[in-house]
Amino acid sequence: MRDIQMVDLKAQYERIGPEIDTAIKSVLDSTAFIKGPDVRLFEEELQQYMGVRHVVSCANGTDALYLAMMVLGLEPGDEIITTDFTFIATVEVVALLGLKLVLVDPDPGTFNISAEAIRKAITPGTKAIVPVHLFGQCADMESIMELARDHDLYVIEDAAQATGADYIFRNGSKRKAGTIGHIGTTSFFPSKNLGCYGDGGALYTNDDNFAGKLRSIANHGMKVRYHYDDIGVNSRLDTIQAAILRVKLKYLTQFNESRRAVADFYDEAFKGLLRVTVPQRTKYSSHIFHQYTIRVKNGKRDELKKYLESMKIPAMVYYPGPLHMQEAYRYLGYNENDLPVTTSLCKEVLSLPMHPEMDQEQLDYIAFSINSFFDNSI
Ligand SMILES: *Cc1c(COP(=O)(O)O)cnc(C)c1O
């Protein structure tokens, strides 16, 4: 059996390597390393795939969030509501811009922020909401957009983990994760569903003004060469990364389907286990399983993780500690018990190997191992 990996980028490269090599070589031959033609072509192809008016590429997913918040013209102290259960990037940009971070608990079933939880956190100082589509499934965007409209708030979707997921509206129409709010952001970190071979990121928007300003700010605030209308930053997607992403975008639908097949197998394999909760799937979103994250009850999570490691099955805790208790964010003044859902999720969650290259032998072995752990541990 091939060694099991959380994400097997090597196996993926073995599948699509020749196309990737050709794409990289053509950039090397052109020497157009910054803002070469592949960057614009990739943006256009991703626009098409996402069904959005504008894709603005940038250097990474964290910058994408930073640029999104810069463009909204927020003032220091403006309140931004987001989830306590996310990757640190979502909150650090809020802090860096001098905005006030307001953390709320996610829904324990979907791991995503709910409109109800957001509603309770809204004050006259609230300016924006940042829903994160965690692990590959959308937060309930229709309810969140209604709430935002009622309170005149901006919505920035952090879609770094959900590239390709569909949000399904009550009337049955669909939109891609990241294209529903005022601005959406994503990451092309290598392990993301659409990942490059280094760092990369992008923003989505249907608003022409935001798009123009984002493009300018990501490139030193420059619209016309050496004329600066905005204070900007240097955050561009390298041409080599764009060329790689053009190849990988063609496989995204297929890769996301393979991940879903793995998740279906896991669901079935674990359904008899009383102490394991499999990921909840909602009516309003497809799930592209950036992570397949189970919850393990009765304090057995760490024991299971150790056991799996002894069986050469990697498993990861995303995320081990609530953001509100991190040293750097003590200044926010939260107490441990202020966000109990996140605190308990951090003790229960375990993400299992999940990638499009998993084979049946590996899956059977994982299913067998997890079932035998619980058979023997009652
Ligand atoms: C990966 C990720 C980011 C940051 O992306 P980088 O490209 O690593 O900067 C932001 N938010 C979430 C939820 C992520 O998973």
Side-chain angles (χ1 to χ4, degrees), residues 17-66:
E19 278 182 273
I20 297 278
D21 292 356
T22 306
I24 293 175
K25 184 68 168 54
S26 85
V27 180
L28 297 181
D29 288 337
S30 78
T31 71
F33 299 118
I34 301 289
K35 293 215 170 264
D38 281 304
V39 177
R40 191 66 202 129
L41 289 168
F42 169 62
E43 288 178 344
E44 282 164 15
E45 286 158 9
L46 188 58
Q47 252 160 243
Q48 192 103 53
Y49 175 84
M50 298 291 298
V52 70
R53 262 175 87 80
H54 303 280
V55 169
V56 178
S57 60
C58 66
N60 56 67
T62 308
D63 277 6
L65 286 159
Y66 191 78

Side-chain angles (χ1 to χ4, degrees), residues 60-62 65 86-87 89-90 132 158 160-161 187 189 192 199-200 319:
N60 56 67
T62 308
L65 286 159
T86 178
F87 180 58
T90 317
V132 181
D158 182 346
Q161 299 188 5
S187 162
F189 187 82
K192 299 284 154 87
D199 277 310
Y319 297 96

